[in-house]
Amino acid sequence: MARRQQAVAIDGVESDEVFESAAEIFRAMSAPMRLKIISCLCNGEKNVTQLLEAIQTTQPNMSQHLNTLYRAGVIGRRREGVQVFYRLVNDRVVTLCRAVCTQIAIEADLKS
């Protein structure tokens, strides 16, 4: 199996592990709320209260989406007293998110 994956990688085709990792990242980004969170965190680390001020949702819903992004390795967190601060830790996700959202905005402007 490893030999086959090595041969496939040499031919320029990615291994199953790469596709699984990519699919996990796309799953993490598949909800508009999570894209809003990623966009908000592009401006720096924030706690849940700050995120809720910027994004209209409930605290339980925000926590669920933050947990999904954390488990996927998109964001990191640190505790300071009773507050938990979140930050982006996956630059590839930020780059991908910005590229797609920018392209969609450009296409929308061209249509109007």
Side-chain angles (χ1 to χ4, degrees):
M1 177 89 161
R3 197 159 137 166
R4 167 133 170 74
Q5 284 182 344
Q6 183 180 14
V8 170
I10 290 171
D11 292 337
V13 177
E14 303 298 336
S15 70
D16 287 345
E17 186 177 312
V18 171
F19 289 120
E20 289 295 326
S21 293
E24 185 175 331
I25 289 171
F26 283 121
R27 272 191 296 277
M29 294 174 42
S30 67
M33 180 61 63
R34 292 194 285 269
L35 292 174
K36 289 178 187 179
I37 293 168
I38 291 167
S39 178
C40 192
L41 291 175
C42 282
N43 299 322
E45 182 180 72
K46 293 187 175 37
N47 64 30
V48 175
T49 302
Q50 292 168 318
L51 288 167
L52 287 169
E53 289 171 358
I55 301 169
Q56 288 294 316
T57 190
T58 63
Q59 190 277 329
N61 190 42
M62 176 67 74
S63 293
Q64 179 183 359
H65 287 292
L66 288 168
N67 193 41
T68 298
L69 290 169
Y70 177 76
R71 285 193 330 265
V74 174
I75 63 174
R77 61 187 176 199
R78 69 175 178 85
R79 182 172 294 279
E80 187 175 296
V82 295
Q83 296 187 15
V84 178
F85 287 85
Y86 294 89
R87 69 192 177 288
L88 292 169
V89 295
N90 189 325
D91 291 336
R92 291 173 297 177
V93 169
V94 174
T95 301
L96 181 60
C97 184
R98 282 184 176 161
V100 171
C101 290
T102 299
Q103 186 61 38
I104 289 169
I106 290 169
E107 290 172 8
D109 282 348
L110 291 177
K111 289 180 183 177
S112 53

